Amino acid sequence: MSIKVEQLTKIYGTQKALNNVSFEVKKPEVVGFLGPNGAGKSTMMKILTTYIDATIGAAKVNDFDVTTETKKVQQSVGYLPEHNPLYLDMYVKEYLAFNAKIYNVSKERIAEVIELTGLTPEAHKTIGQLSKGYRQRVGLANALLHNPDVLILDEPTTGLDPNQLADIRNLIKTIGKEKTVFLSTHIMQEVEAMCDRVIIINKGEIVADKTLKELREGSQQVIVVAFDYRVEEAFLKSMPKVVKIENLYDFMYEITFDSTEDMRSYVFDFAHDNDLKILQLNQKSASLESLFRELTS
Ligand code: ADP
Ligand code: MG
């Protein structure tokens, strides 16, 4: 078992940050821990990485108890904290070598994580000279140094520009093929882009735990499409199973279909038959969006 949390409660003074939380992560997968700000995500992650103790309840990582087997837990997890504390005047290699020493990790492994996280072109720079996206890579490289089975990433994509975002998402998906990744976010789209499963937390309580597959199998599907020309909404309705159309702006439309079949090919055919070019197309699961709104509003 990668992560097992049982009836865990955390109280800071009089503030209850987590209330009777239980969940499990069994196999290597990317699990999104989704919730609005203040929901208790960082608190949960600090407990799983042994930075703070729970008030009541138990948590295990790689079958090691976070309070009684802290060293073993620390060897099993790589942690990217929310405010990734990097030393700005250290060189990338120097910083990783410094942490490698603490973990007793070989020089070869430093080269390996630099390669794995795409840091090679920037490895000779100081951390202060790097963009936010590359600093996140340094944080990820650092979390991967001792080759842990479980990665705990606190808001790894917050504050990145769109290009950096795409790169870091891909990197996390690649890592998630072999390791358990437990990542927090307050942005629903991040879950859709990276995760196999979502655990939704609100006000310290788990309110949903579902695979993305289960969510996608909900009957409605939303496609956001941008054409190079204006299209009449009535005309868009000529596609099969359309239930709702919203003109988001300019030539961008959000189309809701009542279908479990992938409707993207119909949108392509529609564009082709009407001499339209598709400038952008995204498929979203209507159910995750509505579930998140419903559960956290
Ligand atoms: P999230 O990461 O989901 O935004 P946090 O786990 O940081 O949420 O915080 C959950 C709740 O606990 C918030 O109400 C926050 O203000 C409170 N909290 C977090 N850390 C502390 C602390 N050290 N002392 C007191 N309250 C805290
Ligand atoms: Mg947080």
Side-chain angles (χ1 to χ4, degrees):
M1 191 80 73
S2 294
I3 300 175
K4 187 178 171 97
V5 175
E6 276 180 301
Q7 301 181 337
L8 192 143
T9 294
K10 174 69 187 181
I11 302 166
Y12 294 111
T14 54
Q15 164 93 42
K16 202 180 252 187
L18 294 171
N19 186 14
N20 201 26
V21 168
S22 302
F23 65 90
E24 286 177 6
V25 184
K26 285 190 183 130
K27 55 179 192 330
E29 60 179 345
V30 182
V31 178
F33 198 37
L34 175 67
N37 287 325
K41 303 179 297 294
S42 296
T43 299
M44 187 70 246
M45 294 186 145
K46 286 177 196 160
I47 293 170
L48 290 172
T49 50
T50 77
Y51 277 78
I52 59 172
D53 282 326
T55 311
I56 313 166
K60 285 183 177 173
V61 177
N62 251 3
D63 296 323
F64 300 119
D65 188 286
V66 294
T67 42
T68 59
E69 296 169 291
T70 47
K71 274 265 143 55
K72 293 242 166 66
V73 171
Q74 286 162 12
Q75 283 162 4
S76 307
V77 294
Y79 177 37
L80 178 71
E82 187 170 20
H83 305 290
N84 190 10
L86 299 167
Y87 301 97
L88 297 186
D89 46 10
M90 267 191 165
Y91 289 91
V92 172
K93 274 189 182 153
E94 184 190 8
Y95 174 73
L96 292 173
F98 172 76
N99 286 313
K101 236 187 208 153
I102 301 172
Y103 283 118
N104 218 351
V105 165
S106 71
K107 281 225 170 62
E108 292 74 49
R109 181 62 186 163
I110 300 174
E112 237 172 73
V113 296
I114 285 176
E115 176 74 36
L116 186 70
T117 54
L119 272 169
T120 311
E122 307 283 293
H124 61 285
K125 292 188 182 167
T126 65
I127 292 168
Q129 291 171 321
L130 302 182
S131 65
K132 169 101 187 167
Y134 272 92
R135 286 184 201 183
Q136 283 303 71
R137 288 176 199 251
V138 176
L140 279 169
N142 186 47
L144 286 163
L145 265 179
H146 56 302
N147 204 8
D149 293 329
V150 180
L151 276 179
I152 296 193
L153 313 177
D154 200 352
E155 309 246 359
T157 55
T158 297
L160 301 180
D161 73 32
N163 289 328
Q164 297 168 343
L165 190 64
D167 290 345
I168 297 291
R169 281 173 173 176
N170 285 333
L171 183 57
I172 290 172
K173 277 200 275 191
T174 308
I175 296 167
K177 288 192 182 128
E178 284 171 23
K179 296 183 186 294
T180 297
V181 178
F182 185 60
L183 68 90
S184 71
T185 178
H186 60 278
I187 303 159
M188 217 172 42
Q189 287 79 0
E190 293 305 291
V191 171
E192 303 220 72
M194 287 183 283
C195 302
D196 305 305
R197 195 172 124 205
V198 61
I199 296 174
I200 304 181
I201 180 167
N202 190 40
K203 297 185 181 134
E205 295 183 16
I206 304 289
V207 290
D209 182 343
K210 281 184 189 295
T211 64
L212 270 275
K213 190 163 171 279
E214 281 167 344
L215 286 167
R216 290 205 181 95
E217 278 165 3
S219 64
Q220 292 205 336
Q221 117 183 227
V222 175
I223 291 177
V224 175
V225 59
F227 298 111
D228 61 339
Y229 252 84
R230 169 160 296 281
V231 187
E232 288 302 319
E233 293 190 11
F235 203 38
L236 285 166
K237 282 212 170 103
S238 66
M239 275 184 282
K241 310 220 171 136
V242 173
V243 288
K244 200 175 109 202
I245 288 169
E246 204 178 321
N247 189 189
L248 297 178
Y249 53 85
D250 293 343
F251 310 144
M252 186 181 276
Y253 303 87
E254 184 179 276
I255 310 170
T256 307
F257 295 92
D258 188 19
S259 169
T260 52
E261 187 188 352
D262 188 341
M263 298 306 285
R264 284 176 297 184
S265 58
Y266 290 92
V267 178
F268 279 111
D269 288 346
F270 175 85
H272 179 259
D273 295 345
N274 295 289
D275 266 340
L276 291 160
K277 289 199 178 75
I278 290 179
L279 304 180
Q280 192 191 326
L281 187 139
N282 288 311
Q283 189 186 34
K284 307 194 290 180
S285 69
S287 37
L288 180 56
E289 198 160 330
S290 48
L291 187 70
F292 185 59
R293 269 197 227 121
E294 196 182 301
L295 295 173
T296 60
S297 60

